[in-house]
Amino acid sequence: MGAEILRPDQARSDDVVLSWEGAEVLAVRLPQLSDSLGHILAAMERSHGMPLASLDRRAKQSVVRTLEARGAFSVRHGVETVANALGVSRFTVYNYLNRESEARSAKPQVKDAQ
């Protein structure tokens, strides 16, 4: 997901320093969540075998569902970033999210067998 490996002396306070037998051997700098979104979008393009903007509407809706499950819309400018990758407007992404939310809340009613 885009982590960077560093020497321990290059570590910042938010990096993860790994030790072996009591000695610091390396540091790992994890990407910011917003950086990870770019990696996630690139991986999705690879898995679809084409740019996300080339997908049909149903596939784009599926991408939005997957991204929502992975927290993509909790990052600053997440909707704009996804909209640009999909080649749609922010309004369209919000519509996809709203449809998904409505579909989850409309649970089928189960009748009691008597």
Side-chain angles (χ1 to χ4, degrees):
M1 296 303 295
E4 182 180 355
I5 298 174
L6 309 163
R7 293 189 323 261
D9 62 327
Q10 295 175 312
R12 297 188 306 223
S13 62
D14 58 341
D15 293 336
V16 178
V17 178
L18 303 176
S19 299
W20 177 261
E21 296 182 355
E24 295 179 344
V25 292
L26 65 93
V28 178
R29 181 163 298 149
L30 300 173
Q32 298 298 317
L33 188 54
S34 58
D35 296 336
S36 295
L37 182 53
H39 292 287
I40 293 168
L41 291 168
M44 293 184 89
E45 282 191 344
R46 285 191 303 276
S47 72
H48 284 282
M50 66 178 69
L52 297 177
S54 299
L55 298 175
D56 64 21
R57 181 177 50 87
R58 184 169 289 191
K60 288 179 182 182
Q61 289 171 333
S62 175
V63 165
V64 168
R65 280 193 302 274
T66 301
L67 291 170
E68 181 182 25
R70 295 181 81 177
F73 302 110
S74 63
V75 301
R76 185 178 178 134
H77 303 297
V79 172
E80 292 85 352
T81 301
V82 171
N84 287 335
L86 293 175
V88 299
S89 68
R90 290 181 311 141
F91 180 76
T92 298
V93 172
Y94 283 119
N95 278 339
Y96 291 168
L97 290 169
N98 288 337
R99 283 187 185 155
E100 183 62 24
S101 175
E102 290 170 5
R104 278 193 307 254
S105 65
K107 295 179 183 176
Q109 299 293 322
V110 177
K111 294 184 180 182
D112 292 333
Q114 293 183 6

